[in-house]
Amino acid sequence: MNVASNGFNLLTKSLESYRRYIPAALTLCTGMSLSLAAAAVVWNWENQRMKAEFHQQADRLNVALQQSINKNLEFLYSIKAFYSASTEVSRQDFKQFVQPALSRNSAIHSVNWILRVPAAQKAAYEAAIRAEGFPAFQIYERTPDKKPLKAKVRSEYFPITYREALEEDNKVLGFDAASNPDRKAALEKSVNTGKIAASGRIKLVSNDRQGLQVFLPIPRNETSPDNSVNGRQNLMGVIAGVFQITSTVDFSLQSLNLDNINFYLYDNSATDKERFLARYDSQAKQLIDDPKLEKPELINLRGQICKNSSACTRTFNVADRQWMLLVLPGNGYNNLRTHQGSLSICAIGLLMTGSLTVYLLMSLGRTAKVEQQVRDRTIQLKDRTAELETALKNLQSAQLKLIQTEKMSSLGQLVAGVAHEINNPVNFISGNLIHAGEYTQNLLELVEIYQQQYPNPTPKVQDKLQEIDLEFLSEDLPKILKSMNVGSERIRQIVLSLRNFSRLDEAEMKSVDIHQGIDSTLMILESRLKPKANFLGIQVIKEYGNLPLVECWAGQLNQVFMNVLSNAIDILSDAPNKKMAIGKSSSDSAFLPTIRIRTELLSSNCVSVRIADNGAGMTENVKKHLFEPFFTTKPVGKGTGLGLSISYQIVEKHQGSFRCVSAPEEGTEFGIEVPVRQ
């Protein structure tokens, strides 16, 4: 019952907390709906406008193409008028009339004047042309590989008599236009009907580009009622205009802007295989007339504008043929730029809605914040009190660490100073003992020689010899000097160990011998390792591995060794008093305190120092707090609890690890791992 009541109360509070935001939610939903609706209306209007603009551009393109082609055909009609008005048109007259138009219109590839030559007049015709300065002239046709070949015997010929082009090529003269299947049909139709006729798609001989040829017959002044085969003798000749398709279309595109609009040009009067004339790629801004690059699959990408194929199709006449223009939207035609208006309306509407919603939320949030501040004040005061208590503890900890650091620094300076002051006189004593030994030996040898030379000394000398006991003196004096030398050497070793331990002259990181630091620490602690009353002493076992020089702060690392070894000595020194032996009862054989130091190279960049004792060990609870500041198991006045904490920080500073393995009655082992190179 209580659980259900608590759940209901919690649900009620949650609903009350969210209920205050209902006005903001309604404002957001209404504003977003209106903004999206307005944007959708404008989007649809923009689509309609874009569709209308597309069809206008298609119409302009269709008109431009029709005008360009009509202009070319009108030029052929002007030549016809020139012939009709002239009694005779010579080759020079033809050139002077045609050349100016060719230079102005690059779409016209060439203009030819073709005569009808019956078979009976072929020889006379060829002779007449040769007489005009073309000695090798003859009527010829071309093989499929475009090689010239003498025209086959037929009833009539239609050779090119005059030819004008931007690039002069007299080799074309004499070519029988009726011998080419692509041109013959249009030529026959033109001659038979007396009207203009155009060929289908042909390949131009000079540049292998796609083109078409238009034939316009010119009758004599005395024409027959029709231009049938029986009336062909009334035919004066045929004007043949050759046009390159891409040049004709290019001329039309000069006044148009076809960004992102593609189109295809087809010949509806041709077979399906020959219908393709050219296509325009708006992305590459290039006209393509190669049938191999037609890409008919692009026609299917009509988009929404050309869903109905007839809507994007335009037709126009080229002479007697019908061409079709298929206009298609290209990539990017219907992009986001087309819908800037609708997107702007949507963005503005959403921005205004968002701003109003944010304002309402801020107002509601401000009210809730004031209410929450009242509830949070008490909690903040409690938290602040706890923070102050924690800060006080941290401050005390930092203060004690600073004191310990300063103490160690002062101790190091004191040790270094004392070592320096002791080292000088010890060097004097050590150096003079060598000479004193030599002098003493010389004197003793002199006394021995004297005794041999004078075996019976005077009574006074005899008394003095007995007083000083010369025989004992001769035997004991070298021993005394040797003992003094050992003592001075011992003092030198202690001084060297003190200097190695402190290493105040090496504040920067250096590569040092770890074993030397351990040995120096043991030298300093040697007095605590020796046997005493009721204490057998501590045995130190060294198992040194082959270690490289280690890059470290030597003085700080020596401090770690000092702290760990000092703790081990403290534990082992108390062990006999507590009658604790490893694995044995108090009645068993005497307990031998032992410290084992083992070093090894774990990897190419890591060395390990393990210091183990056979003391009483420690419990898991003690191990858990072992590296905490001020934690100690020693009696009051014997330990500060900072040694292992500081040691842990020093090893961490060296990017190493410091761990302890211990169990009650099984001793303790400290493992120190540091990298060879920092």
Side-chain angles (χ1 to χ4, degrees):
M1 185 68 179
N2 291 333
V3 174
S5 177
N6 292 335
F8 178 77
N9 292 334
L10 182 62
L11 179 62
T12 303
K13 290 180 180 179
S14 300
L15 292 175
E16 288 178 355
S17 62
Y18 284 112
R19 187 171 59 185
R20 70 178 66 186
Y21 297 108
I22 291 178
L26 291 175
T27 302
L28 180 63
C29 293
T30 304
M32 289 180 63
S33 301
L34 292 176
S35 300
L36 294 175
V41 172
V42 177
W43 184 284
N44 184 60
W45 174 79
E46 287 173 337
N47 281 336
Q48 296 299 326
R49 184 191 64 183
M50 178 188 61
K51 188 175 181 181
E53 289 177 354
F54 176 81
H55 289 301
Q56 288 176 3
Q57 284 189 308
D59 291 337
R60 284 197 293 268
L61 175 61
N62 182 63
V63 171
L65 284 172
Q66 182 73 73
Q67 289 176 348
S68 176
I69 292 172
N70 289 343
K71 181 179 178 182
N72 295 332
L73 298 181
E74 286 171 2
F75 174 58
L76 299 183
Y77 280 108
S78 68
I79 299 175
K80 179 180 180 181
F82 175 65
Y83 267 91
S84 300
S86 303
T87 305
E88 183 179 356
V89 178
S90 65
R91 190 180 302 277
Q92 185 63 27
D93 295 336
F94 185 82
K95 180 177 182 179
Q96 290 179 352
F97 187 83
V98 171
Q99 274 294 337
L102 285 177
S103 62
R104 292 192 302 269
N105 192 347
S106 61
I108 304 174
H109 186 262
S110 66
V111 179
N112 306 315
W113 172 245
I114 300 175
L115 291 178
R116 174 182 171 274
V117 179
Q121 301 175 10
K122 177 176 179 291
Y125 168 77
E126 289 177 341
I129 299 300
R130 292 191 191 105
E132 292 183 17
F134 301 97
F137 180 83
Q138 66 174 353
I139 299 176
Y140 72 95
E141 58 189 56
R142 290 192 182 96
T143 61
D145 57 353
K146 300 181 182 180
K147 291 182 179 180
L149 180 68
K150 185 177 180 180
K152 298 176 182 178
V153 178
R154 56 176 69 92
S155 60
E156 60 181 358
Y157 304 90
F158 289 90
I160 297 176
T161 305
Y162 300 161
R163 181 179 187 275
E164 292 299 328
L166 293 176
E167 298 178 1
E168 187 174 351
D169 185 7
N170 292 329
K171 294 179 181 180
V172 179
L173 296 179
F175 174 68
D176 185 6
S179 66
N180 185 278
D182 295 336
R183 296 170 172 81
K184 183 178 180 180
L187 177 60
E188 289 287 348
K189 183 177 181 181
S190 172
V191 171
N192 290 337
T193 62
K195 297 180 181 179
I196 192 169
S199 70
R201 183 184 73 201
I202 62 173
K203 183 172 288 189
L204 302 181
V205 177
S206 60
N207 59 9
D208 284 339
R209 300 299 298 273
Q210 303 299 324
L212 76 152
Q213 192 163 14
V214 180
F215 299 97
L216 178 62
I218 300 178
R220 298 181 188 277
N221 291 332
E222 306 89 12
T223 58
S224 59
D226 59 12
N227 286 307
S228 62
V229 176
N230 296 328
R232 289 193 179 195
Q233 62 273 15
N234 294 319
L235 183 68
M236 181 185 299
V238 179
I239 300 171
V242 180
F243 306 98
Q244 185 172 317
I245 295 175
T246 54
S247 299
T248 303
V249 178
D250 261 334
F251 186 80
S252 307
L253 298 181
Q254 292 177 1
S255 59
L256 298 176
N257 179 18
L258 295 180
D259 287 342
N260 300 316
I261 292 181
N262 303 325
F263 65 82
Y264 282 76
L265 199 59
Y266 292 100
D267 183 359
N268 282 350
S269 302
T271 61
D272 290 342
K273 188 176 180 181
E274 301 294 328
R275 285 184 70 232
F276 175 75
L277 297 175
R279 72 178 180 89
Y280 177 72
D281 188 344
S282 61
Q283 192 169 4
K285 296 189 180 300
Q286 182 182 9
L287 271 169
I288 301 169
D289 60 355
D290 188 352
K292 296 179 181 178
L293 302 176
E294 178 185 356
K295 293 188 178 181
E297 67 274 6
L298 298 178
I299 299 175
N300 299 324
L301 305 176
R302 300 175 181 271
Q304 294 293 328
I305 296 177
C306 294
K307 254 188 175 179
N308 183 5
S309 59
S310 61
C312 295
T313 302
R314 307 289 187 274
T315 58
F316 56 92
N317 294 325
V318 178
D320 62 327
R321 304 180 76 85
Q322 185 185 69
W323 282 11
M324 183 183 77
L325 176 67
L326 176 60
V327 186
L328 300 172
N331 291 332
Y333 185 80
N334 186 15
N335 55 20
L336 293 178
R337 288 185 298 175
T338 310
H339 299 286
Q340 289 181 351
S342 56
L343 293 176
S344 299
I345 289 175
C346 182
I348 293 172
L350 293 177
L351 181 62
M352 293 178 63
T353 302
S355 300
L356 183 58
T357 304
V358 169
Y359 175 76
L360 288 174
L361 289 174
M362 290 176 64
S363 300
L364 295 172
R366 196 177 294 113
T367 302
K369 187 177 180 181
V370 172
E371 295 174 355
Q372 186 65 32
Q373 284 178 348
V374 175
R375 291 191 295 268
D376 293 344
R377 180 59 62 181
T378 304
I379 299 175
Q380 289 178 358
L381 291 174
K382 291 180 180 179
D383 292 343
R384 188 58 182 272
T385 302
E387 289 176 2
L388 290 174
E389 291 176 354
T390 303
L392 179 60
K393 290 180 180 179
N394 292 338
L395 183 61
Q396 291 174 345
S397 174
Q399 185 179 11
L400 289 174
K401 287 182 182 179
L402 185 61
I403 293 171
Q404 178 69 12
T405 303
E406 184 64 26
K407 185 192 299 182
M408 292 302 298
S409 176
S410 301
L411 180 60
Q413 292 177 0
L414 177 62
V415 166
V418 170
H420 177 72
E421 293 300 326
I422 293 175
N423 196 46
N424 289 334
V426 166
N427 286 336
F428 298 151
I429 295 171
S430 177
N432 290 329
L433 280 174
I434 297 173
H435 300 296
E438 293 177 356
Y439 298 160
T440 301
Q441 187 64 32
N442 292 335
L443 289 174
L444 290 175
E445 290 176 356
L446 178 61
V447 170
E448 185 178 355
I449 294 171
Y450 180 81
Q451 286 179 333
Q452 292 174 358
Q453 295 295 326
Y454 301 98
N456 299 313
T458 62
K460 187 175 182 179
V461 172
Q462 187 70 30
D463 294 340
K464 190 64 176 176
L465 289 175
Q466 291 178 356
E467 180 182 349
I468 65 174
D469 195 357
L470 179 61
E471 184 178 351
F472 174 77
L473 182 66
S474 299
E475 183 181 347
D476 193 48
L477 183 57
K479 294 180 181 179
I480 292 174
L481 292 174
K482 186 176 180 180
S483 175
M484 292 172 65
N485 195 28
V486 171
S488 66
E489 184 62 27
R490 171 69 175 162
I491 294 172
R492 287 181 60 191
Q493 291 296 326
I494 293 174
V495 169
L496 181 60
S497 298
L498 289 172
R499 294 187 64 183
N500 287 335
F501 177 79
S502 63
R503 286 188 181 264
L504 288 181
D505 55 338
E506 299 177 6
E508 297 182 355
M509 188 176 291
K510 282 183 63 176
S511 295
V512 299
D513 185 358
I514 289 290
H515 296 154
Q516 188 181 49
I518 297 173
D519 291 340
S520 298
T521 306
L522 291 173
M523 177 71 73
I524 294 171
L525 296 172
E526 186 174 2
S527 61
R528 298 183 61 190
L529 300 172
K530 292 180 179 180
K532 300 175 185 176
N534 300 324
F535 181 59
L536 298 176
I538 299 175
Q539 180 185 10
V540 177
I541 301 174
K542 301 178 184 178
E543 298 178 356
Y544 287 172
N546 187 15
L547 300 185
L549 297 180
V550 177
E551 190 177 17
C552 64
W553 286 278
Q556 296 183 15
L557 210 56
N558 290 341
Q559 185 179 349
V560 176
F561 300 147
M562 173 66 77
N563 289 333
V564 175
L565 289 170
S566 295
N567 286 340
I569 292 171
D570 289 341
I571 294 297
L572 294 175
S573 298
D574 292 341
N577 298 330
K578 296 179 180 178
K579 296 182 180 181
M580 297 183 67
I582 303 302
K584 298 181 180 181
S585 65
S586 58
S587 61
D588 292 335
S589 61
F591 167 62
L592 179 60
T594 304
I595 295 176
R596 186 181 300 273
I597 304 174
R598 182 178 181 183
T599 64
E600 60 180 327
L601 184 65
L602 296 181
S603 65
S604 61
N605 193 40
C606 183
V607 298
S608 169
V609 179
R610 288 187 287 174
I611 302 174
D613 64 66
N614 59 350
M618 62 184 77
T619 63
E620 285 295 327
N621 186 50
V622 173
K623 282 172 58 179
K624 190 184 301 182
H625 303 283
L626 195 60
F627 299 115
E628 293 180 3
F630 309 107
F631 177 78
T632 180
T633 58
K634 297 177 183 179
V636 177
K638 286 192 175 183
T640 62
L642 292 174
L644 291 180
S645 174
I646 293 173
S647 298
Y648 187 86
Q649 295 175 11
I650 291 173
V651 175
E652 274 197 336
K653 181 180 178 182
H654 284 78
Q655 308 297 322
S657 63
F658 190 28
R659 62 180 183 273
C660 173
V661 178
S662 181
E665 309 298 330
E666 294 185 7
T668 302
E669 180 182 272
F670 284 92
I672 304 164
E673 294 179 7
V674 293
V676 176
R677 294 174 301 277
Q678 292 293 324

